[in-house]
Amino acid sequence: MNEITKTQQRTRSYWYSDGIAEIVGGVAFVLIGLPLYAAARTGIEMLSTLPLISMILLFPLSARVVRYLKDRITHQRTGYVKYSRPPMSQQRKALIFSILIAISVAIIVISKSNWTLNGMLGKSILLGMGFGIAGTFAVRAWKMQMPRFFIDAATASGLVLVLGFVGAGFVEGVGLLLSVLGVISAEIGMIVLCSYIRRHPKVPVETA
């Protein structure tokens, strides 16, 4: 590993060193997952539209909340380090890949006339989604040398296996998956944040 790669890794690790991103992301997951789970359990279809509204509002809002909290907590203790964004080529590849996945799922749903995604189709997509999330967390844990992300990976993979075994519906399964992951992520983030604050007390402001 060359020095540039090491520097990039340290910068990305610093972004997660305080647990703030996990807390905010966990809360966002819960706010998206709970309405889905409630819609499946109660049969109130209107609740299933709330996650879409939540995603539209939460993604830009959560980024601002993370920056605000870091300015108030992290940067006053250990300084500001600009987070290195991935190259535009990688962003394009990720976007194209996501669009292709969405189109493929839409074509399968239309061809099967299974709009509710029940049965094997929904179970397969749920398993793929859960293992995909688990893989993302596992790669993050390995690349950043942060074992706590393996907890999220194990939770995602274990939960989708249980949901598949008990035959949970797709909407119910996704809602429960996101809600549980959100709670665990937020709890781990709180533990990390408390530890970070203890290790890095706020520097008192000197007055003239």
Side-chain angles (χ1 to χ4, degrees):
M1 183 182 296
N2 56 41
E3 289 301 319
I4 295 178
T5 303
K6 288 181 179 179
T7 301
Q8 291 175 340
Q9 180 177 314
R10 285 196 298 268
T11 303
R12 295 191 181 101
S13 298
Y14 180 70
W15 180 259
Y16 294 100
S17 64
D18 51 21
I20 291 176
E22 292 164 79
I23 296 172
V24 177
V27 172
F29 266 24
V30 172
L31 292 178
I32 294 172
L34 273 183
L36 285 174
Y37 181 75
R41 299 295 295 180
T42 63
I44 303 176
E45 295 183 1
M46 184 179 65
L47 291 173
S48 62
T49 62
L50 293 178
L52 178 60
I53 300 174
S54 298
M55 284 189 289
I56 294 174
L57 297 176
L58 287 175
F59 282 126
L61 180 61
S62 61
R64 293 185 178 183
V65 171
V66 169
R67 286 196 297 269
Y68 173 79
L69 292 176
K70 283 183 173 292
D71 286 338
R72 298 295 297 271
I73 299 174
T74 309
H75 300 156
Q76 294 183 12
R77 287 173 167 80
T78 52
Y80 172 77
V81 177
K82 185 177 180 181
Y83 179 69
S84 57
R85 297 181 180 274
M88 185 60 66
S89 59
Q90 293 185 15
Q91 293 180 353
R92 288 198 189 100
K93 290 178 182 178
L95 178 60
I96 293 172
F97 181 76
S98 300
I99 292 174
L100 289 176
I101 292 295
I103 293 174
S104 299
V105 171
I107 292 174
I108 293 173
V109 172
I110 294 173
S111 64
K112 298 291 185 178
S113 299
N114 191 356
W115 298 99
T116 58
L117 290 177
N118 289 326
M120 285 302 301
L121 175 61
K123 184 182 293 186
S124 300
I125 298 176
L126 178 60
L127 287 172
M129 179 180 178
F131 288 131
I133 293 175
T136 300
F137 280 119
V139 170
R140 181 182 297 174
W142 175 67
K143 283 189 173 182
M144 298 186 181
Q145 300 299 304
M146 291 185 170
R148 70 178 190 263
F149 288 115
F150 283 121
I151 299 176
D152 298 295
T155 300
S157 56
L159 187 55
V160 292
L161 286 175
V162 172
L163 291 172
F165 180 77
V166 301
F170 176 77
V171 176
E172 179 183 4
V174 171
L176 192 58
L177 173 64
L178 294 180
S179 298
V180 173
L181 271 178
V183 170
I184 291 178
S185 179
E187 289 179 346
I188 294 175
M190 286 298 299
I191 295 173
V192 172
L193 179 59
C194 291
S195 175
Y196 174 85
I197 291 175
R198 284 197 302 268
R199 288 184 288 108
H200 304 286
K202 189 176 181 179
V203 179
V205 178
E206 296 183 0
T207 57

